[in-house]
């Protein structure tokens, strides 16, 4: 056997051993977290959904308002009442503007009664979400509301302006209602911080909502808001959408403005990975919201063009090919993917081709390399609110005495970063090169008529704190940010434990309408959002 082969075999064995140790740690940790959850008592129940207004899509609400079938004020009031019911149990909201929202809703209703009111058709064109309330993650600036990004030191920081996406939503007639919880600095996939605490999963409060737009995923799923705005640099729209059984779309890179978001991307590279997008219970809302958020760039996406599903080329992978330190994809998720394939093959006579994209095994490393940038200020700088650096070891010590204002994972991320590949090193250059190759490989396969079905995440929502031992599972979404491609998280019902599962649908660059059209189709075939509580 040649030395090269011997080395390859040695590396393979090392990987297998590492993965086996990781599985064991995951297993032991699961038992510990289950025990902790048991000690904390049973999952908390939430009030049923009694108000049928809460069950309309945002598009339907807008239609009903402009056709005088429902008043904006009663819709806003219904959502305020619902948030008041769920907030004590789920802790998804961080700040409300209920009074202002009600005033604005009344103004909408009065305007519609006035002589100046345009016809419903004109209103649909000029102000497609006239009178419809919406929520946004607290990283996205809403004028006169706090913008903390879950960082304690920012607890009194109030945004002077609307972020560009909020301005666009207001311009479309929508009414901001509340901001929602995020992970600390939006850099983790469990929503918990020292300022507002932990957000709980509406399907089972012992489980996480995902992150970083976790409050948004939760409030949507619990029918506390008809549409939400999230942002995604590594999965922060898609992971919470998936864990909460709703739809979430990360647009193609560069389409939606990131202005007015905190933390902002530090470099052009990071900007390329970051995208703001819609989160909602009904797939039909994705495209009209994206159209507003994309503003002048909407033309690039041809969102009005009808998509013929039978003409699309479908590809899939059931997992990342066995990446080091990611969990195996749960059987029920694989089974859901197979059902989707059978459904598409039967309904549209298409062939869904299995791929083996080997570079997906390097997803975490590729994302990390793309996140690191020249002259990058490190995470301890970010944790100080870009004002000096926190003392990491001192904070760790404080944390052990429950005195730190930072989460354990934020401190671990800052530590981990010190060992990550450095910008400009040979290894970094190689990984960036490989990212480009992977992008070309995807573009060649998908072109303008291909979609790729891929797990959004290898497991359903873990228990609280469990992501600590499954840290790199976020790479299933993060790799799509590296590629800058559009991806829609699509719910596919609940697993045996009653937790949502689903897949993400990825398209070629600027082919957002394809991924959204497939999500709409799968909603028809698989039922979409399932209410987490009884609809009474
Ligand atoms: C034993 C625990 C080891 C923990 C090591 C943690 C290192 C994690 C590094 C980066 C985590 C980033 C996760 C980002 C998830 C969501 C990002 C987003 N805003 O889209």
């Amino acid at each position: 056997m040649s030395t090269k082969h011997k080395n390859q075999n040695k590396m393979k064995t090392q990987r297998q051993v590492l993965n086996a140790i990781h599985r064991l740690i995951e297993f032991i940790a699961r038992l510990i977290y289950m025990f902790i959850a048991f000690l904390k008592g049973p999952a908390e129940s939430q009030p049923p959904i009694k108000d049928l207004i809460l069950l309309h899509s945002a598009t339907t609400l807008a239609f009903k308002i402009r056709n005088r079938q429902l008043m904006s004020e009663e819709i806003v009031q219904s959502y305020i009442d619902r948030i008041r019911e769920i907030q004590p149990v789920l802790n998804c909201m961080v700040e409300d503007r209920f009074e202002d929202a009600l005033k604005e809703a009344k103004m909408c209703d009065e305007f519609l009664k006035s002589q100046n009111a345009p016809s419903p058709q004109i209103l649909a064109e000029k102000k497609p979400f006239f009178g419809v309330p919406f929520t946004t993650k607290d990283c996205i600036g809403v004028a006169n509301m706090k913008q903390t990004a879950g960082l304690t030191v920012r607890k009194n920081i109030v945004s002077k302006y609307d972020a560009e996406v909020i301005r666009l939503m207001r311009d479309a007639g929508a009414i901001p209602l509340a901001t929602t919880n995020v992970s600390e600095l939006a850099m983790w996939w469990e929503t918990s911080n020292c300022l507002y605490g932990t957000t709980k999963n509406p399907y089972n409060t012992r489980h996480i909502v995902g992150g970083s737009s976790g409050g948004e995923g939760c409030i949507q799923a619990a029918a506390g808001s008809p549409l939400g705005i999230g942002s995604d640099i590594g999965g922060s729209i898609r992971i919470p959408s998936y864990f909460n059984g709703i739809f979430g779309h990360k647009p193609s890179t560069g389409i939606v403005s990131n202005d007015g978001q905190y933390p902002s991307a530090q470099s052009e590279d990071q900007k390329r990975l970051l995208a703001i997008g819609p989160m909602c219970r009904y797939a039909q809302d994705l495209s009209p919201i994206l159209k507003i958020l994309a503003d002048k760039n909407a033309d690039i996406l041809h969102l009005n063009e009808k998509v013929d599903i039978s003409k699309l080329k479908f590809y899939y992978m059931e997992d990342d090919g066995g990446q080091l330190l990611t969990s195996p994809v749960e059987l029920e998720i694989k089974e859901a993917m197979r059902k989707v394939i059978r459904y598409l093959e039967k309904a549209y006579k298409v062939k869904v081709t299995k791929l083996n994209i080997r570079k997906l095994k390097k997803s975490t490393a590729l994302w990390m390399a793309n996140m690191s940038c020249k002259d990058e200020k490190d995470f301890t700088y970010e944790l100080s609110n870009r004002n000096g650096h926190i003392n990491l070891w001192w904070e760790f010590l404080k944390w052990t005495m429950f005195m730190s204002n930072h989460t354990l994972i934020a401190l671990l991320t800052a530590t981990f970063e010190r060992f990550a590949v450095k910008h400009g090193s040979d290894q970094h250059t190689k990984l960036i090169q490989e990212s480009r190759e992977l992008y070309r490989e995807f573009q060649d396969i998908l072109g303008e008529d291909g979609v790729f079905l891929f797990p959004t995440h290898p497991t359903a929502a873990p228990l609280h704190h469990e992501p600590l031992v499954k840290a790199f599972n976020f790479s299933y979404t993060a790799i799509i940010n590296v590629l800058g491609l559009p991806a829609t998280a699509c719910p596919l019902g609940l697993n045996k434990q009653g937790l949502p599962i689903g897949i993400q649908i990825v398209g070629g660059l600027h082919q957002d309408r394809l991924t959204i059209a497939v999500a709409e189709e799968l909603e028809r075939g698989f039922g979409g959002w399932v209410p987490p509580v009884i609809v009474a």
Side-chain angles (χ1 to χ4, degrees):
M1 195 188 277
S2 69
T3 323
K4 192 178 160 203
H5 272 113
K6 270 189 201 154
N7 282 344
Q8 272 173 356
N9 279 345
K10 199 172 147 199
M11 270 166 67
K12 201 173 158 199
T13 317
Q14 277 171 354
R15 289 173 72 89
Q16 281 168 343
V17 171
L18 263 170
N19 268 337
I21 296 171
H22 183 230
R23 289 296 101 80
L24 186 67
I25 294 173
E26 274 188 299
F27 177 72
I28 296 169
R30 175 105 200 169
L31 294 181
I32 296 170
Y33 290 127
M34 277 167 73
F35 184 63
I36 295 173
F38 170 78
L39 290 182
K40 282 189 176 166
E44 293 157 82
S45 58
Q46 303 142 62
I49 300 172
K50 291 199 205 105
D51 184 344
L52 296 184
I53 285 182
L54 303 173
L55 294 177
H56 291 305
S57 69
T59 316
T60 305
L61 290 175
F63 176 87
K64 285 185 182 289
I65 293 170
R66 61 179 172 258
N67 286 285
R68 283 78 169 166
Q69 293 163 5
L70 273 178
M71 310 256 280
S72 171
E73 190 186 352
E74 54 182 322
I75 294 169
V76 170
Q77 190 60 56
S78 292
Y79 276 103
I80 292 173
D81 294 344
R82 181 64 184 159
I83 294 176
R84 289 197 170 125
E85 282 178 343
I86 59 172
Q87 176 65 7
V89 183
L90 302 174
N91 189 33
C92 45
M93 183 189 73
V94 298
E95 195 185 358
D96 73 71
R97 58 185 300 282
F98 292 164
E99 272 184 33
D100 286 345
L102 276 171
K103 273 188 213 148
E104 288 160 24
K106 273 184 204 157
M107 279 160 64
C108 286
D109 294 330
E110 269 152 32
F111 177 68
L112 285 182
K113 280 188 214 146
S114 74
Q115 305 237 309
N116 302 335
S119 68
Q121 291 79 354
I122 293 186
L123 206 55
E125 208 180 290
K126 302 265 184 243
K127 303 240 170 235
F129 285 103
F130 189 74
V132 177
F134 75 100
T135 44
T136 179
K137 78 191 284 193
D138 135 309
C139 297
I140 297 174
V142 180
N144 303 320
M145 291 189 82
K146 285 183 192 163
Q147 189 184 17
T148 73
L151 197 60
T152 307
V153 66
R154 289 180 62 87
K155 66 175 183 285
N156 296 320
I157 291 188
V158 172
S159 179
K160 288 198 187 109
Y161 313 100
D162 281 336
E164 178 61 2
V165 288
I166 303 298
R167 186 192 71 73
L168 290 166
M169 288 301 291
R170 284 202 214 240
D171 205 39
I175 301 173
L177 187 60
T179 52
T180 52
N181 205 15
V182 296
S183 49
E184 191 171 0
L185 274 178
M187 272 311 274
W188 187 234
W189 56 277
E190 168 162 17
T191 290
S192 182
N193 58 62
C194 298
L195 194 52
Y196 297 117
T198 302
T199 304
K200 297 176 191 167
N201 193 300
Y203 293 84
N204 184 332
T205 54
R206 288 173 161 178
H207 291 255
I208 69 165
V209 290
S212 59
S213 320
E216 204 47 60
C218 172
I219 204 166
Q220 296 299 324
S225 166
L227 75 93
I229 308 295
S231 59
D232 189 318
I233 200 169
S236 282
I237 288 175
R238 288 159 292 154
I239 298 171
S241 296
Y242 165 73
F243 287 162
N244 293 283
I246 60 159
F247 293 88
H249 181 74
K250 182 200 86 67
S252 291
T253 184
I255 290 294
V256 176
S257 166
N258 284 316
D259 289 356
Q261 178 169 200
Y262 192 91
S264 51
Q266 279 197 22
S267 68
E268 289 307 311
D269 279 353
Q270 278 188 4
K271 267 188 205 151
R272 209 174 39 78
L273 267 60
L274 182 60
I276 293 181
M279 298 170 74
C280 47
R281 275 173 281 152
Y282 302 100
Q284 64 166 194
D285 290 334
L286 291 170
S287 187
I289 304 170
L290 179 59
K291 199 171 164 192
I292 290 161
L293 301 183
D295 195 22
K296 295 195 173 71
N297 286 337
D299 289 349
I300 301 173
L301 304 182
H302 303 286
L303 291 171
N304 293 338
E305 267 176 34
K306 207 174 149 25
V307 176
D308 182 348
I309 305 270
S310 66
K311 299 257 158 55
L312 297 183
K313 296 194 185 98
F314 285 91
Y315 304 93
Y316 78 104
M317 271 174 77
E318 283 185 356
D319 58 35
D320 60 10
Q323 191 183 183
L324 191 64
L325 303 183
T326 56
S327 310
V329 174
E330 284 172 359
L331 227 57
E332 282 177 280
I333 299 171
K334 287 189 175 177
E335 192 42 50
M337 172 81 86
R338 286 170 204 159
K339 277 189 195 152
V340 166
I341 293 167
R342 284 198 293 273
Y343 173 82
L344 292 168
E345 288 183 337
K346 194 160 172 227
Y348 288 96
K349 311 276 174 279
V350 290
K351 180 165 165 36
V352 185
T353 308
K354 188 170 185 164
L355 296 178
N356 179 14
I357 300 181
R358 297 169 74 88
K359 283 200 174 65
L360 290 182
K361 271 191 196 178
K362 288 183 138 186
S363 295
T364 308
L366 296 177
W367 184 80
M368 299 270 181
N370 280 273
M371 283 293 284
S372 89
C373 45
K374 199 164 175 252
D375 304 326
E376 182 187 10
K377 299 276 199 300
D378 72 9
F379 202 53
T380 60
Y381 168 76
E382 294 290 350
L383 289 172
S384 74
N385 194 31
R386 300 185 172 175
N387 181 21
H389 294 263
I390 63 154
N391 182 328
L392 198 49
W393 307 117
W394 179 234
E395 287 301 330
F396 267 121
L397 188 67
K398 279 165 67 184
W399 186 87
T400 59
M401 294 182 283
F402 305 100
M403 285 166 69
S404 177
N405 282 330
H406 300 287
T407 52
L408 175 62
I409 189 60
L411 303 179
L412 287 171
T413 302
T415 314
F416 179 83
E417 187 192 48
R418 298 190 171 178
F419 301 98
V421 56
K422 292 281 168 288
H423 190 276
S425 65
D426 288 353
Q427 179 69 351
H428 178 259
T429 312
K430 189 166 171 268
L431 288 166
I432 296 296
Q433 182 56 30
E434 284 182 272
S435 308
R436 290 190 185 131
E437 286 163 16
L438 182 60
Y439 171 75
R440 276 194 291 273
E441 189 174 349
F442 262 95
Q443 274 301 105
D444 286 350
I445 295 169
L446 298 180
E448 291 186 354
D449 59 355
V451 288
F452 174 58
L453 312 176
F454 193 50
T456 317
H457 199 84
T459 72
L463 292 163
H464 290 288
H465 313 297
E466 216 185 343
L468 278 175
V469 290
K470 300 173 183 295
F472 302 110
N473 285 356
F474 79 96
S475 63
Y476 271 81
T477 41
I479 191 62
I480 310 302
N481 298 73
V482 171
L483 304 171
L485 300 180
T488 309
C490 176
L492 294 170
L494 308 181
N495 69 7
K496 287 198 188 86
Q497 273 187 285
L499 294 167
I501 51 172
I503 56 167
Q504 56 180 327
I505 305 151
V506 183
L509 190 66
H510 300 153
Q511 307 308 320
D512 300 51
R513 71 186 185 291
L514 306 187
T515 69
I516 292 174
V518 174
E520 284 170 356
E521 179 55 37
L522 296 183
E523 182 184 45
R524 282 189 283 274
F526 292 81
W529 168 72
V530 178
V533 287
I534 297 165
V535 178

